[in-house]
Amino acid sequence: MTSSLDPAIAARLERNPDGLLPAIVQQHDTGEVLMMAWMDDEALHRTLTSGRATYWSRSRREYWVKGETSGNPQHVKEVRLDCDGDTLLLKVDQVGVACHTGSRTCFDEGLLGG
Amino acid sequence: MTSSLDPAIAARLERNPDGLLPAIVQQHDTGEVLMMAWMDDEALHRTLTSGRATYWSRSRREYWVKGETSGNPQHVKEVRLDCDGDTLLLKVDQVGVACHTGSRTCFDEGLLGG
């Protein structure tokens, strides 16, 4: 879709075949990795201009303002693009829990090794 | 390809259409997000059993032991799978720099907003 994203930023993005970039979401002060989600240009535009983390839901095929239904928003402190232009890093202040399971992060339960 | 990955772990993985999962790589003590890379079952198996972060290079179509050519290996402290089974989080001890540009992380130069 057409997006209002700053063309100078849009030109730096290396999107996947679906037009999306993965966004790693990190708690800004503790460094916890909270979750990963996906953004298209418009989700990035909304995130940068609203200060509220906004993603593209691949399953529901709609924009998703984190916390709009759960009551656990992410207030965006910083957005970074990696050296290849294909991955985003959001530093946020997560209100409450990040995971739909009720855990603080989406990785809390999933220890495979180490 | 056939992999020696523990079948109990393999059964939990939700791979993308290319058979891959994104792996977020974090410095275990400082919490810095260093980079993102991709793993298939075999890369995950090698990472879990060798303790050296091993990825699948989508561009070169080969396994890639981080640091083998750069001299900057990642010693793996912990591997976690997220609640959906489709994203990995590696906590590592990064020797030297993570980024091929010579920066400590792949996100150092890419501030978009915040």
Side-chain angles (χ1 to χ4, degrees):
Chain A
M1 67 171 282
T2 307
S3 166
S4 310
L5 180 64
D6 179 343
I9 293 177
R12 296 167 60 185
L13 303 181
E14 297 289 336
R15 304 164 193 81
N16 77 5
D18 296 322
L20 302 173
L21 280 79
I24 301 164
V25 189
Q26 182 177 37
Q27 174 67 25
H28 74 103
D29 48 4
T30 63
E32 291 163 290
V33 174
L34 299 167
M35 55 180 277
M36 206 194 74
W38 295 84
M39 288 191 176
D40 65 1
D41 286 37
E42 179 62 19
L44 178 56
H45 172 67
R46 294 184 190 185
T47 296
L48 288 168
T49 53
S50 71
R52 288 283 297 274
T54 306
Y55 306 107
W56 175 253
S57 170
R58 295 175 302 169
S59 53
R60 298 194 304 274
R61 303 197 60 76
E62 62 183 19
Y63 293 102
W64 160 49
V65 179
K66 177 72 178 171
E68 206 167 51
T69 55
S70 68
N72 295 322
Q74 293 171 341
H75 301 288
V76 178
K77 301 287 187 180
E78 203 175 278
V79 181
R80 290 181 175 272
L81 183 67
D82 80 344
C83 57
D84 294 325
D86 65 5
T87 305
L88 294 160
L89 174 63
L90 270 69
K91 298 191 181 186
V92 306
D93 191 19
Q94 171 72 61
V95 177
V97 302
C99 189
H100 72 284
T101 62
S103 294
R104 171 67 179 172
T105 89
C106 291
F107 300 94
D108 286 1
E109 318 298 334
L111 186 64
L112 297 184
Chain B
M1 67 172 283
T2 308
S3 166
S4 310
L5 181 65
D6 178 344
I9 293 178
R12 297 167 61 186
L13 304 182
E14 297 289 336
R15 303 164 193 80
N16 78 5
D18 296 321
L20 302 173
L21 280 79
I24 301 165
V25 189
Q26 183 178 37
Q27 174 66 25
H28 72 104
D29 48 3
T30 64
E32 293 163 288
V33 175
L34 298 167
M35 54 179 279
M36 205 193 74
W38 295 84
M39 286 189 177
D40 64 2
D41 286 36
E42 179 63 18
L44 177 57
H45 171 67
R46 295 184 189 185
T47 297
L48 287 169
T49 53
S50 72
R52 288 282 297 275
T54 305
Y55 306 106
W56 174 253
S57 169
R58 297 176 301 169
S59 53
R60 298 193 303 273
R61 304 197 60 75
E62 62 182 21
Y63 293 103
W64 159 51
V65 180
K66 177 71 177 172
E68 207 168 49
T69 55
S70 69
N72 295 320
Q74 292 172 343
H75 301 288
V76 177
K77 301 288 187 179
E78 202 175 278
V79 181
R80 289 180 174 272
L81 183 67
D82 80 343
C83 57
D84 294 325
D86 65 4
T87 305
L88 294 160
L89 175 62
L90 270 70
K91 299 192 183 185
V92 305
D93 191 18
Q94 171 71 61
V95 177
V97 301
C99 189
H100 71 284
T101 64
S103 295
R104 172 68 178 170
T105 90
C106 292
F107 298 94
D108 286 0
E109 319 296 334
L111 186 64
L112 297 183

